[in-house]
């Protein structure tokens, strides 16, 4: 009955004295909203009762209706599966304009950072809000490179895994276990401990990921080398062996550093929201980041580049592309062009542009000419960008389209792709976690629900069921 009443609800939005209308109506189970005008105060009319809610403006992007008092005032919840219309927090870190294909870290465009900055400097920017001075950069880089070693006891954890364990399974376990080793940085209410924990996580993540890789190969772990920069050190821990001298190509190290920059943050995506939700209970940072790693592992999130690469391998040659395009457009076929489309970007993913150029640089440096996967990718992109189906639905290549080819060429197996993503995203997770703890308006995350189960009923004994 209650649901019936709510089916065709007329809601009014008003600012100052001006009234504007929003009509909510049910269409195939979805609620659509048609908005005629958008002003500063939002009014809600439920069954002839009017309520006012503040419209808050950000510096960029859509304003939000502050409904935090909605339940208290009206006794109603909002319903928004997948949080497609819900801002869960206020943030100053990252801004995305999906329609225009813009991504800014603390106001700086992603392509400028990828071209001009490096991952350590970008990490400082995301964490502190400003680009560092020379002295600040030196202090930060030193701190990061001097916390790269992990406790020797932690190595025993690795030996407890099966040799074919997925690196992400290992990372979930090992990162979560860090809280058992670093008791001096688990008090989330102490800003100094938070700073130490954040730096530890960023510094140790390459070591942890490289150890997971080495373990899967059955090769000895390589200890960090403080003389190498952040990304070169990671490459060395992944590819050096005791039997031979390891040469790190500066071009490859720079390309991977760019990939880390591209993946460092992406506002309130699933894994970042997971980190925020997990830590909203006061959980320690290592546990919260382990939760983020678990979420990132999913194929709809961090695992998509692996799926894009598998698809390119399945297509195999340029002449097979039309067949796969046809499958992608067929409503009765579940096949989708992996690496195409994005929940937020309805334009070319700005990261994909940098990724495409980086892919070319890496293949050139490695002497991979006429790579069949790259040929398929370039042709597929060309065809899809000119096809009505993809144009109308605004389906453009996303960052995952070229990252798989690039990482594979560098020598990483597909199982490591998401681990590399986790390494880079740790910076964003730590920045967002800190911001959340410092925000006095944040409380423990506790979503509500629309209950559609049984009404109260009486327990019946086993022998009479
Ligand atoms: N190939 C073919 N058709 C597609 C594709 C695709 N890759 N993506 C979306 N569509 C179609 C859908 O079938 C749907 O068509 P319809 O309106 O006729 O039903 C329409 O475009 C809208 O698709 P939705 O799934 O509703 O769009 P949404 O924004 O929810 O999904 C998503 C975005 C999940 C990324 C989707 O585009 C997709 O599955 N892409 C392939 C997987 C992928 O590359 N994921 C990586 C995302 S980037 C990241 O997470 C780092």
């Amino acid at each position: 009955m209650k649901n019936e009443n709510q089916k065709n609800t007329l809601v009014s939005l008003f600012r100052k004295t001006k009234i504007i209308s929003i009509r909510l109506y049910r269409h195939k189970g979805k609620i659509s909203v048609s908005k005629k005008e958008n002003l500063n105060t939002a009014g809600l009319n439920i069954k002839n009762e009017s309520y006012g809610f503040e419209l808050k403006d950000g510096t960029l992007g859509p304003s939000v209706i502050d409904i935090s008092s909605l339940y208290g005032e009206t006794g109603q919840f909002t319903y928004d599966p997948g949080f497609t219309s819900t801002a869960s927090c206020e943030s100053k870190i990252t801004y995305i304009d999906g329609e225009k294909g813009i991504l800014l870290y603390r106001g700086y465009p992603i392509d400028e950072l990828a071209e001009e900055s490096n991952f350590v400097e970008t990490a400082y920017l995301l964490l502190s809000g400003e680009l560092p001075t020379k002295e600040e950069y030196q202090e930060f880089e030193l701190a990061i490179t001097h916390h790269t070693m992990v406790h020797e006891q932690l190595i025993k954890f690795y030996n407890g895994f099966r040799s074919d364990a997925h690196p992400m399974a290992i990372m979930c376990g090992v990162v979560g276990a860090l809280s058992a080793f670093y008791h001096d940085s688990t008090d989330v209410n102490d800003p100094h401990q938070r700073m130490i924990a954040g730096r530890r996580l960023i510094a140790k993540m390459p070591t942890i990921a490289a150890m997971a890789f080495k373990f899967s190969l059955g090769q000895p772990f390589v200890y960090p080398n403080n003389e190498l920069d952040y990304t070169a050190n990671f490459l060395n821990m992944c590819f050096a062996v005791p039997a031979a001298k390891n040469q790190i190509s500066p071009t490859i190290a720079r390309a991977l550093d760019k990939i880390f920059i591209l993946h460092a943050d992406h506002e309130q995506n699933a894994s970042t929201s997971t980190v925020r939700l997990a830590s909203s209970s006061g959980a320690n940072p290592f546990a919260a980041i382990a939760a983020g790693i678990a979420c990132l592992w999913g194929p709809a999130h961090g695992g998509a580049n692996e799926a894009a690469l598998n698809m390119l391998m399945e297509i195999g040659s340029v002449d097979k592309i039309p067949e796969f395009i046809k499958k992608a457009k067929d409503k009765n076929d579940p096949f989708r062009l992996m690496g195409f489309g994005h929940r937020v970007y309805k334009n070319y993913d700005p990261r994909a542009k940098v990724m495409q150029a980086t892919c070319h640089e890496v293949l050139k440096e490695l002497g991979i000419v006429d790579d069949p996967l790259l040929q398929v990718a370039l042709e597929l992109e060309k065809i899809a960008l000119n096809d009505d189906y993809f144009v109308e639905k605004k389906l453009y290549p996303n960052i995952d389209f070229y990252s798989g080819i690039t990482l594979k060429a560098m020598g990483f197996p597909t199982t490591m792709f998401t681990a590399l993503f986790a390494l880079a995203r740790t910076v964003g997770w730590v920045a967002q976690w800190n911001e959340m703890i410092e925000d006095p308006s944040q409380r423990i995350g506790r979503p509500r629900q629309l209950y559609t189960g049984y009404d109260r009923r009486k327990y019946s004994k086993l022998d009479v069921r």
Side-chain angles (χ1 to χ4, degrees):
M1 191 59 193
K2 200 174 172 195
N3 285 347
E4 260 322 287
N5 284 342
Q6 286 168 346
K7 263 190 181 169
N8 292 304
T9 312
L10 185 68
V11 182
S12 299
L13 268 188
F14 55 86
R15 179 192 193 180
K16 292 170 189 156
T17 55
K18 204 166 173 187
I19 307 266
I20 55 169
S21 289
I22 284 185
R23 185 177 289 277
L24 300 182
Y25 54 92
R26 286 202 176 248
H27 174 65
K28 288 187 188 164
K30 287 179 189 164
I31 292 183
S32 312
V33 178
S34 90
K35 188 159 64 170
K36 286 187 183 151
E37 227 179 321
N38 190 7
L39 301 167
N40 250 357
T41 307
L44 183 66
N45 190 314
I46 304 173
K47 297 174 206 161
N48 289 332
E49 288 285 336
S50 293
Y51 306 90
F53 298 97
E54 190 189 349
L55 262 180
K56 288 184 167 168
D57 293 324
T59 37
L60 294 169
S63 51
V64 300
I65 305 169
D66 182 351
I67 54 145
S68 48
S69 62
L70 180 77
Y71 177 61
E73 286 187 38
T74 70
Q76 313 260 336
F77 298 143
T78 54
Y79 180 63
D80 183 18
F83 311 112
T84 53
S85 299
T86 299
S88 60
C89 61
E90 191 184 315
S91 183
K92 292 184 170 57
I93 302 173
T94 294
Y95 174 73
I96 302 172
D97 185 330
E99 296 299 325
K100 294 191 185 134
I102 293 172
L103 169 61
L104 310 175
Y105 289 169
R106 301 282 189 182
Y108 296 99
I110 190 67
D111 45 337
E112 265 180 53
L113 289 171
E115 220 37 65
E116 310 282 341
S117 182
N118 64 44
F119 182 65
V120 170
E121 186 183 65
T122 302
Y124 184 98
L125 170 71
L126 284 165
L127 293 169
S128 77
E130 298 298 335
L131 286 167
T133 60
K134 229 182 230 172
E135 292 73 35
E136 286 166 340
Y137 179 78
Q138 279 165 357
E139 187 276 328
F140 183 66
E141 197 198 22
L142 196 79
I144 296 297
T145 48
H146 282 74
H147 281 100
T148 44
M149 283 176 69
V150 292
H151 197 292
E152 278 294 300
Q153 283 277 102
L154 210 68
I155 294 173
K156 292 188 179 158
F157 271 72
Y158 285 82
N159 293 329
F161 287 101
R162 274 173 56 137
S163 58
D164 58 355
H166 196 289
M168 286 297 275
I170 297 180
M171 286 183 74
C172 283
V174 173
V175 173
L178 291 178
S179 51
F181 288 85
Y182 302 107
H183 304 286
D184 59 344
S185 56
T186 54
D187 178 359
V188 297
N189 298 314
D190 178 345
H192 182 71
Q193 290 202 27
R194 283 208 305 278
M195 190 263 283
I196 298 290
R199 288 182 171 193
R200 274 187 173 142
L201 276 158
I202 295 164
K204 293 184 199 311
M205 206 55 93
T207 315
I208 291 168
M211 285 170 78
F213 181 39
K214 284 297 194 192
F215 184 74
S216 70
L217 296 175
Q219 290 183 3
F221 298 134
V222 176
Y223 282 93
N225 179 347
N226 286 351
E227 281 170 20
L228 295 172
D229 69 34
Y230 188 88
T231 305
N233 181 36
F234 174 64
L235 282 168
N236 192 55
M237 288 190 286
C238 286
F239 296 112
V241 285
K245 201 168 180 314
N246 188 41
Q247 283 292 350
I248 299 153
S249 148
T251 309
I252 299 297
R254 177 72 189 123
L256 187 59
D257 201 70
K258 271 191 202 177
I259 295 175
F260 288 163
I261 294 174
L262 299 180
H263 287 86
D265 196 42
H266 213 226
E267 52 121 303
Q268 308 312 319
N269 57 83
S271 58
T272 301
S273 298
T274 302
V275 170
R276 280 188 178 253
L277 191 60
S279 48
S280 74
S281 68
N284 75 70
F286 306 107
I289 301 295
I293 294 173
C295 177
L296 186 75
W297 192 4
H301 194 3
N305 52 10
E306 188 173 339
L309 184 70
N310 288 339
M311 181 197 70
L312 292 174
M313 292 197 284
E314 198 190 334
I315 297 175
S317 59
V318 169
D319 57 302
K320 292 243 188 75
I321 293 174
E323 188 190 314
F324 282 83
I325 294 267
K326 199 169 154 216
K327 267 163 76 68
K329 288 155 65 172
D330 182 355
K331 278 225 161 292
N332 300 316
D333 192 325
F335 175 78
R336 283 188 169 197
L337 273 195
M338 299 312 287
F340 266 77
H342 194 276
R343 169 58 62 79
V344 179
Y345 293 116
K346 302 302 168 197
N347 202 322
Y348 210 107
D349 179 342
R351 302 167 303 169
K353 282 189 188 152
V354 181
M355 200 62 243
Q356 191 203 52
T358 308
C359 182
H360 284 290
E361 283 160 23
V362 167
L363 296 187
K364 189 169 162 223
E365 168 71 8
L366 297 174
I368 305 174
V369 278
D370 297 333
D371 177 48
L373 289 182
L374 184 63
Q375 300 303 326
V376 172
L378 288 170
E379 192 59 24
L380 186 64
E381 178 182 351
K382 205 157 68 187
I383 294 175
L385 289 180
N386 288 300
D387 188 295
D388 285 350
Y389 174 92
F390 293 91
V391 173
E392 274 161 25
K393 293 186 191 300
K394 299 185 177 174
L395 298 170
Y396 294 86
N398 58 48
I399 187 170
D400 295 318
F401 192 60
Y402 287 102
S403 61
I405 306 176
T406 317
L407 296 175
K408 179 176 176 282
M410 285 179 177
F412 290 107
T414 49
T415 51
M416 273 301 285
F417 291 0
T418 324
L420 295 170
F421 191 163
L423 182 168
R425 185 55 58 85
T426 297
V427 168
W429 290 332
V430 169
Q432 302 265 354
W433 161 73
N434 252 313
E435 185 180 65
M436 192 200 77
I437 293 182
E438 283 166 10
D439 180 351
S441 71
Q442 284 296 314
R443 305 154 71 188
I444 184 166
R446 177 59 172 89
R448 300 301 196 134
Q449 63 171 11
L450 173 66
Y451 177 71
T452 53
Y454 285 110
D455 198 348
R456 185 190 176 110
R457 51 186 180 153
K458 200 165 165 37
Y459 177 83
S460 60
K461 292 206 183 302
L462 187 60
D463 54 357
V464 295
R465 263 176 252 156

